[in-house]
Amino acid sequence: MSKYRIKFSKTGMGKFISHLDLLRAFNRTVTRAELPVRYTQGFNPHQIVTFALPLSVGVESETEFVDIDFEDGTSFDKILNGLNENFPEDLYAISVSEPVFKAKDIFSAEYSVSIDADFGRSEKKVSDFFAQNEYIVLKKSKKGEKEVNLMDFIYEADVLKENDNRADIRLVLAAGGEKNIKPDLVLGSLESYLTPIKFDLTHIRRTNIFCKIQEKVEIFC
Amino acid sequence: MRGKYDEKLEKILCEVQKPARYTGNELNSVHKEKTDGMVSFAFAFPDLYEIGMSHLGMKILYHMLNERSDTVCERVFAPWSDMEQLMQDNDIPLFSLESKTSVREFDIVGFTLQYEMSYSNVVNMLALSRIPLRSRERGDSDPFVCVGGPCAYNCEPLADIIDFAVLGEGEEVNGELIDAYKEWRAEEKPTRESYLERIARIEGVYVPSFYDVEYNADNTVKSITPNRGCAPAKIRKRIIGDLDNVFFPEKLIVPFMDIVHDRIMLEIFRGCIRGCRFCQAGYIYRPVREKSVDRLCEIAANSIAATGYEEMSISSLSTSDYTKLGALVDGLLDITEKKRINLSLPSLRVDNFSMELMEKVQKVKKSGLTFAPEAGTQRLRDVINKNVREEDLVRTAGIAFDGGYNHIKLYFMIGLPTETYDDVAGINDLARKVVDVYYTLPKERRKRGVSITVSTSSFVPKPFTPFQWEPQDRMETLVDKQKFLKEKITTKTISYNWHQSEVSFLEAVFAKGDRRLGEVLISAHEKGCKFDGWNEYFSYEKWMAAFEENNIDPEFYAYRKIPYDEVLPWEHIDVGVTKKFLIKEHERAMEGVTTPSCRENCAGCGAASFGGGVCFE
Ligand code: SF4
């Protein structure tokens, strides 16, 4: 076995680290820690590092996963301590283990969202938005833009709290290779639904990643 | 003081492009709390984060000041327009990256001046900081504003804007400024003036307001006279004598985002032995001082351990001139190969030895090579003292092509003193000869076809060079020469790029400018000039309007041939190289006579007065 799965968090200012920048930060952390990482063959060897599911810039997370190839027999503790002693602020390794599920089986992700806004000024309610069966949006993908029903991508939405100046929501959204949606698109749509109010500040945090194995939903690990 | 803008700032960071420019949470960034009795220094780079963070000098001084327990040094960069707009909409003044403190709250704000076209950003950043733009308008609640870096040697265009300038290498003098600040603050009645009087006595510190400048009727400078006892008649630059024992940070900041030079930069020496006559760096950094192989290997190993960078590059004006280059490269490869770190050696001279080194170092990537003959004919290369011979270039190109390279970039200048259209045509001739070398190779060796890129920049006369008295070519002439060259280049194998001549004109104006240009800078700022180094921002029309508004003719600065006996706006600045020497060099240039390098034969430039370096080897 040489593939190790690292669960880590990316919080605080760390949410502004883009996906590519995060990869570089991992490469450099592994180098500083002098961990026995494996490199690809060929002209331009690089460390074998794969993230399970990209995270949008601006979103914090307490459950990110990255797979890194190390020499056989490297202990979990050595990797965990090496990373934590060398990480930049805002990145933290929670655990190291053998991979259980495959990244391609990822099916959904859970987010905890809180929004500060003058909700009192809107006639409509946050919960009304999520109660709709259909809400058409333009969704961008590599292939171009397409109209889709946003509600097809929202698997769960619990409005935990809703008052005149704050709303707390738990969302489970489609994620992974086959079908996915970014939380910004959901919140942007919510904001236009609630026009004229504008969101002051939104906090989005990814709290879980799920995969689907033979119709059974499991927490990714 | 931390966190004052956090909420608003967080919101705008979610909206801005590339928020990592503003977060300040990089590895090895220093976050200190400022307590009573400490001195705070904002190190400002008047350009984007990704440009400023590529600059080694900034990192050295940042970490050096933060080594002191009595000092907090934080970084500030110019916000890009989207961020500037959001900051204004949300009433957020310019802030430091580390603690997000308003720049105006710092004790000292130091701008590094790397190029003239960043001056409008200096003014804009002061405005965004809500610091009064002119030094005389600042009061007790404002910081001191200073400048350093290569353009500080003639910072006259900023003389009325800044409080003081630091001339030369900053490792020692910046600490002295902090010491003086603490002593000053303990004075019974500290005034802004009493601090400036204190530091005007420190070698390398220039306080422009302590000098009166008088002008002649023809607008030339009549005299520059100190107006108080503490101000020396000549301000002498500072240098570090022993580069092996000077502070060098072990833990350099590692940015998250991709910056221009995202690698470890290893400074192997300061100065240059060559004396190309157009090159300001070749004179202001004299004399050449090297770091030892042992110290460099130590720095390299420590830097890799503390940063995890995958790439390291040597940084110098002319890498081939390092006396023990072979030993250095072997020592570095010992360290880098084990750790899979790419080593690159820029600024190599064209010769066999350097090709061998390149072979050793760049085992894989064989794409482009860069050479800078600077002028198209031997006659003109002799005038500018650039000792590249056509034979050398042709021979090395041959070795390079044979070794698998197929792309060569050639850098030239147009508008050099004494240049004729024959010299311009010579650029094409030289490029053609390089192409021909490729076709002399046996067919089976030329696999991918050859491509040559010719780039021309426009000559800008710079202070403290033998060409400081020379006029710049008029913009029309430069454009005409570019067009002429473009027409000469008829083969598709050679592609040609050139610089915008308006930018080069303004560079000349501000490089050789005097104090009267300060008001032009402020007018230009009011018209919205900033990021002049960026095409999308540069507006020649706005600049011309700013000159007109202040009744100043920019051509006076750029296009006039200056007689030797005229008082130069930078006459009171002493970089070690004497005026007598520069005159001699200018005369030799006009005769087409070259001057040997410091190591072949000391030309007696005056820099030996610093008592070290190559002058005493
Ligand atoms: S004094 Fe001589 S050796 Fe020293 S920098 Fe000048 S020319 Fe070079």
Side-chain angles (χ1 to χ4, degrees):
Chain A
M1 179 205 72
S2 61
K3 200 173 269 309
Y4 290 74
R5 180 158 293 167
I6 296 137
K7 178 176 176 180
F8 67 99
S9 66
K10 182 170 175 270
T11 53
M13 283 287 188
K15 70 182 175 189
F16 295 116
I17 308 171
S18 75
H19 191 64
L20 254 183
D21 295 352
L22 184 67
L23 175 62
R24 250 196 313 264
F26 263 89
N27 291 152
R28 290 170 183 168
T29 303
V30 166
T31 306
R32 287 192 297 276
E34 302 192 326
L35 290 170
V37 68
R38 309 214 339 190
Y39 284 80
T40 55
Q41 304 287 312
F43 269 157
N44 204 352
H46 53 267
Q47 298 173 8
I48 305 173
V49 176
T50 334
F51 291 95
L53 185 65
L55 184 69
S56 308
V57 174
V59 180
E60 293 182 274
S61 176
E62 52 201 46
T63 49
E64 290 305 290
F65 294 91
V66 63
D67 292 347
I68 305 182
D69 274 23
F70 291 108
E71 296 298 338
D72 290 350
T74 312
S75 79
F76 292 160
D77 274 355
K78 180 174 169 158
I79 297 170
L80 190 72
N81 296 336
L83 290 176
N84 280 334
E85 279 159 23
N86 289 282
F87 262 146
E89 221 182 275
D90 304 324
L91 293 179
Y92 180 75
I94 298 161
S95 60
V96 180
S97 61
E98 281 177 49
V100 178
F101 300 110
K102 295 200 173 77
K104 70 170 179 44
D105 294 325
I106 290 176
F107 163 75
S108 63
E110 178 191 62
Y111 297 89
S112 136
V113 177
S114 64
I115 306 165
D116 290 346
D118 211 352
F119 288 108
R121 284 178 49 225
S122 176
E123 313 252 292
K124 298 176 189 155
K125 292 183 67 173
V126 173
S127 42
D128 298 341
F129 175 76
F130 292 108
Q132 302 171 101
N133 283 326
E134 195 178 80
Y135 191 89
I136 302 297
V137 292
L138 259 189
K139 183 174 179 291
K140 279 189 204 131
S141 72
K142 278 183 202 121
K143 288 180 208 129
E145 281 183 331
K146 205 168 86 186
E147 283 196 347
V148 296
N149 177 8
L150 184 72
M151 296 303 155
D152 287 348
F153 293 81
I154 303 176
Y155 297 156
E156 290 175 48
D158 303 329
V159 180
L160 306 171
K161 175 172 156 186
E162 184 174 7
N163 63 27
D164 281 358
N165 45 38
R166 172 156 183 156
D168 290 342
I169 313 162
R170 179 184 156 272
L171 289 172
V172 178
L173 305 179
E178 268 178 30
K179 188 174 171 190
N180 63 72
I181 196 118
K182 287 184 176 176
D184 335 1
L185 184 57
V186 177
L187 297 182
S189 307
L190 173 63
E191 192 173 19
S192 36
Y193 176 80
L194 296 174
T195 309
I197 68 156
K198 287 259 167 268
F199 295 172
D200 284 331
L201 201 59
T202 51
H203 282 287
I204 316 173
R205 182 181 271 252
R206 184 139 84 190
T207 45
N208 255 318
I209 296 177
F210 302 104
C211 52
K212 203 171 192 178
I213 308 291
Q214 292 161 348
E215 295 310 301
K216 214 172 136 231
V217 174
E218 306 252 16
I219 292 180
F220 186 79
C221 58
Chain B
M1 86 182 173
R2 193 176 171 142
K4 203 180 292 179
Y5 303 103
D6 270 6
E7 280 241 324
K8 279 199 273 183
L9 193 63
E10 215 187 308
K11 180 174 150 63
I12 66 173
L13 285 177
C14 291
E15 292 170 39
V16 87
Q17 301 169 33
K18 305 199 180 181
R21 283 172 176 159
Y22 314 103
T23 50
N25 58 340
E26 311 94 317
L27 181 83
N28 297 335
S29 58
V30 184
H31 296 256
K32 277 186 179 179
E33 194 168 346
K34 190 193 173 193
T35 52
D36 280 355
M38 283 170 89
V39 180
S40 60
F41 192 105
F43 200 118
F45 197 103
D47 210 320
L48 282 180
Y49 174 89
E50 47 267 52
I51 313 267
M53 283 308 291
S54 302
H55 184 249
L56 182 62
M58 168 169 213
K59 296 188 188 177
I60 295 177
L61 294 178
Y62 169 79
H63 289 287
M64 189 206 80
L65 286 172
N66 278 320
E67 282 281 295
R68 292 178 64 124
S69 59
D70 61 357
T71 309
V72 182
C73 178
E74 302 195 349
R75 294 162 297 152
V76 186
F77 299 94
W80 192 240
S81 51
D82 60 336
M83 182 63 170
E84 181 177 328
Q85 191 59 52
L86 284 165
M87 284 164 63
Q88 268 164 0
D89 295 348
N90 289 278
D91 195 31
I92 299 176
L94 189 64
F95 56 87
S96 64
L97 292 199
E98 282 79 0
S99 66
K100 316 286 185 282
T101 302
S102 155
V103 173
R104 190 165 177 232
E105 284 176 42
F106 280 80
D107 295 324
I108 306 174
V109 180
F111 286 91
T112 175
L113 303 179
Q114 297 294 320
Y115 26 86
E116 291 81 8
M117 298 320 282
S118 66
Y119 291 177
S120 58
N121 272 10
V122 172
V123 181
N124 192 40
M125 287 169 76
L126 287 174
L128 293 175
S129 307
R130 301 170 189 170
I131 296 171
L133 300 183
R134 295 170 188 84
S135 56
R136 61 168 185 277
E137 298 162 346
R138 285 181 212 127
D140 291 340
S141 53
D142 292 307
F144 289 99
V145 175
C146 65
V147 292
C151 294
Y153 290 109
N154 178 34
C155 56
E156 288 304 289
L158 293 157
D160 293 336
I161 293 168
I162 61 174
D163 292 297
F164 63 95
V166 181
L167 309 183
E169 295 162 7
E171 282 103 332
E172 287 167 359
V173 60
N174 278 293
E176 294 164 27
L177 288 166
I178 301 285
D179 293 337
Y181 192 91
K182 290 169 71 184
E183 285 161 25
W184 166 72
R185 201 159 48 186
E187 279 176 20
E188 210 167 303
K189 274 205 189 98
T191 61
R192 289 182 75 83
E193 208 174 350
S194 66
Y195 178 63
L196 296 175
E197 284 178 346
R198 210 175 250 282
I199 60 171
R201 295 190 173 89
I202 300 176
E203 190 166 76
V205 176
Y206 168 45
V207 181
S209 58
F210 291 175
Y211 295 79
D212 293 329
V213 180
E214 277 188 89
Y215 301 93
N216 295 308
D218 64 358
N219 278 328
T220 55
V221 175
K222 186 172 177 202
S223 62
I224 305 166
T225 340
N227 58 26
R228 62 195 73 198
C230 58
K234 283 240 170 194
I235 307 101
R236 189 167 164 80
K237 78 166 182 198
R238 290 287 288 268
I239 65 161
I240 302 297
D242 178 2
L243 291 185
D244 270 352
N245 285 308
V246 71
F247 171 83
F248 189 83
E250 305 273 293
K251 291 184 152 200
L252 291 163
I253 296 187
V254 185
F256 283 110
M257 67 180 287
D258 202 10
I259 59 170
V260 178
H261 298 297
D262 201 14
R263 58 187 78 106
I264 296 165
M265 278 183 288
L266 202 57
E267 182 192 39
I268 56 175
F269 59 84
R270 292 184 185 165
C272 180
I273 58 169
R274 297 278 148 193
C276 298
R277 290 175 179 134
F278 56 84
C279 175
Q280 190 186 40
Y283 295 93
I284 56 177
Y285 298 130
R286 286 187 183 212
V288 164
R289 289 141 295 141
E290 292 190 347
K291 282 186 186 160
S292 67
V293 172
D294 286 350
R295 176 69 178 135
L296 286 167
C297 288
E298 183 189 346
I299 290 176
N302 289 341
S303 303
I304 295 166
T307 62
Y309 264 121
E310 50 296 293
E311 201 179 332
M312 181 159 69
S313 166
I314 279 176
S315 142
S316 78
L317 290 165
S318 169
T319 303
S320 299
D321 290 329
Y322 184 72
T323 44
K324 299 187 185 71
L325 189 58
L328 176 65
V329 170
D330 288 341
L332 293 178
L333 282 175
D334 254 2
I335 302 169
T336 55
E337 278 184 340
K338 269 190 282 217
K339 305 213 157 190
R340 297 172 195 263
I341 285 160
N342 289 319
L343 180 64
S344 56
L345 305 176
S347 308
L348 283 178
R349 214 179 30 252
V350 196
D351 59 23
N352 285 333
F353 178 62
S354 56
M355 287 309 300
E356 250 169 62
L357 285 181
M358 302 271 288
E359 283 294 306
K360 254 198 220 174
V361 169
Q362 291 177 330
K363 293 213 172 78
V364 279
K365 264 191 289 175
K366 254 186 212 164
S367 48
L369 274 182
T370 303
F371 299 120
E374 305 290 3
T377 59
Q378 193 57 48
R379 184 200 73 79
L380 191 53
R381 286 195 293 275
D382 287 345
V383 168
I384 63 175
N385 205 38
K386 178 88 199 184
N387 69 345
V388 171
R389 308 202 66 86
E390 187 177 304
E391 307 87 89
D392 303 334
L393 183 65
V394 164
R395 186 169 33 79
T396 330
I399 302 171
F401 290 142
D402 201 29
Y405 291 91
N406 69 331
H407 179 60
I408 292 185
K409 283 191 208 153
L410 299 173
Y411 285 108
F412 296 92
M413 276 189 187
I414 52 167
L416 286 162
T418 77
E419 182 184 61
T420 64
Y421 279 80
D422 286 342
D423 296 310
V424 180
I427 294 175
N428 176 49
D429 299 340
L430 196 59
R432 283 302 282 261
K433 279 176 192 149
V434 173
V435 173
D436 292 343
V437 175
Y438 184 78
Y439 288 106
T440 59
L441 285 182
K443 253 220 176 89
E444 60 285 4
R445 310 286 285 266
R446 327 176 214 142
K447 18 184 192 232
R448 291 171 295 177
V450 62
S451 80
I452 306 290
T453 308
V454 168
S455 298
T456 63
S457 61
S458 306
F459 166 69
V460 177
K462 294 275 175 116
F464 309 104
T465 68
F467 291 159
Q468 62 181 350
W469 296 283
E470 285 290 325
Q472 189 178 37
D473 261 356
R474 300 190 63 88
M475 279 175 278
E476 310 83 81
T477 314
L478 290 173
V479 170
D480 197 59
K481 285 178 175 172
Q482 289 162 351
K483 218 177 111 220
F484 173 79
L485 179 55
K486 197 168 167 21
E487 280 161 14
K488 284 269 164 207
I489 297 174
T490 47
T491 161
K492 283 225 171 60
T493 321
I494 305 175
S495 57
Y496 175 40
N497 345 327
W498 58 92
H499 279 202
Q500 236 181 318
S501 58
E502 287 97 349
V503 175
S504 310
F505 171 63
L506 280 178
E507 268 171 21
V509 173
F510 284 99
K512 297 212 290 173
D514 61 34
R515 289 185 178 197
R516 290 169 296 194
L517 295 182
E519 289 304 314
V520 177
L521 281 172
I522 292 175
S523 302
H525 157 72
E526 285 162 357
K527 297 183 189 312
C529 291
K530 60 186 171 193
F531 286 109
D532 289 305
W534 302 74
N535 272 339
E536 58 262 58
Y537 270 106
F538 179 70
S539 163
Y540 183 67
E541 294 67 36
K542 284 183 188 163
W543 277 104
M544 288 308 109
F547 282 109
E548 199 158 318
E549 207 169 283
N550 291 280
N551 242 325
I552 283 181
D553 173 16
E555 298 193 357
F556 170 81
Y557 298 97
Y559 292 162
R560 211 165 48 87
K561 181 156 180 84
I562 301 172
Y564 293 142
D565 60 0
E566 186 177 313
V567 179
L568 299 164
W570 53 93
E571 197 78 42
H572 52 315
I573 306 298
D574 174 10
V575 297
V577 175
T578 61
K579 191 168 184 179
K580 205 172 121 224
F581 170 78
L582 293 176
I583 292 175
K584 200 175 92 199
E585 276 297 291
H586 184 251
E587 287 167 352
R588 288 170 74 98
M590 293 306 119
E591 292 156 16
V593 181
T594 59
T595 296
S597 77
C598 293
R599 288 220 174 83
E600 292 160 280
N601 196 357
C602 165
C605 74
S609 60
F610 289 105
V614 65
C615 326
F616 296 90
E617 266 171 15

